[in-house]
Amino acid sequence: MKKVWILTLLSISLAACSLASTGDEQESKEDAPVSSQKEVDQTFSGEETEQANADGTKDPASAKTEKDKVLEDGTVEVGEPESLQVVVNKNRKLPGDYVPDDLTVPNVPFYFQEDHPKKQMREEAARALEGLFCSC
């Protein structure tokens, strides 16, 4: 019974935090901690910013390049999808028609047996994954 009360209180407090964060843009920025200010600015502006490393230098892999294109929904379509160092996430997308030319299926066990495109990886990533599975 004690666990039920704790879970109920936790879910109520999370819901309250969620509702409090749905205020207007200015209130969200003011309430945000300093460490997440960059994330808030990025979310509302739709622009990508360079991320700083621990030593204060900028990470070139996450920097927006001249070839990147900002889409209508605020996300960025990467301009150099063939680069092995390109950052791809929910805010930085590959072009819809991009297919790497070095796709291969790594020699590792999968949880399904059929041939499926989910098995395909870029050659360099496939070799690294095989190395992780190697019992050498």
Side-chain angles (χ1 to χ4, degrees), residues 13-32:
S13 64
L14 289 175
C17 289
S18 166
L19 291 175
S21 68
T22 59
D24 65 25
E25 177 180 329
Q26 189 61 30
E27 287 178 12
S28 296
K29 281 187 174 184
E30 289 173 2
D31 295 341

Side-chain angles (χ1 to χ4, degrees), residues 53-118:
N53 292 331
D55 61 359
T57 62
K58 300 292 182 183
D59 180 9
S62 65
K64 185 175 178 241
T65 67
E66 297 99 29
K67 295 181 182 180
D68 291 351
K69 181 170 65 174
V70 178
L71 303 176
E72 291 177 11
D73 62 355
T75 60
V76 175
E77 184 178 277
V78 297
E80 297 182 30
E82 63 281 347
S83 170
L84 291 176
Q85 296 181 346
V86 69
V87 175
V88 178
N89 55 33
K90 65 181 181 178
N91 296 321
R92 295 181 48 83
K93 300 177 180 182
L94 292 171
D97 59 347
Y98 175 70
V99 178
D101 57 357
D102 62 342
L103 287 178
T104 185
V105 177
N107 186 20
V108 297
F110 285 89
Y111 68 92
F112 52 90
Q113 299 300 317
E114 64 272 358
D115 237 0
H116 199 278
K118 286 183 179 182

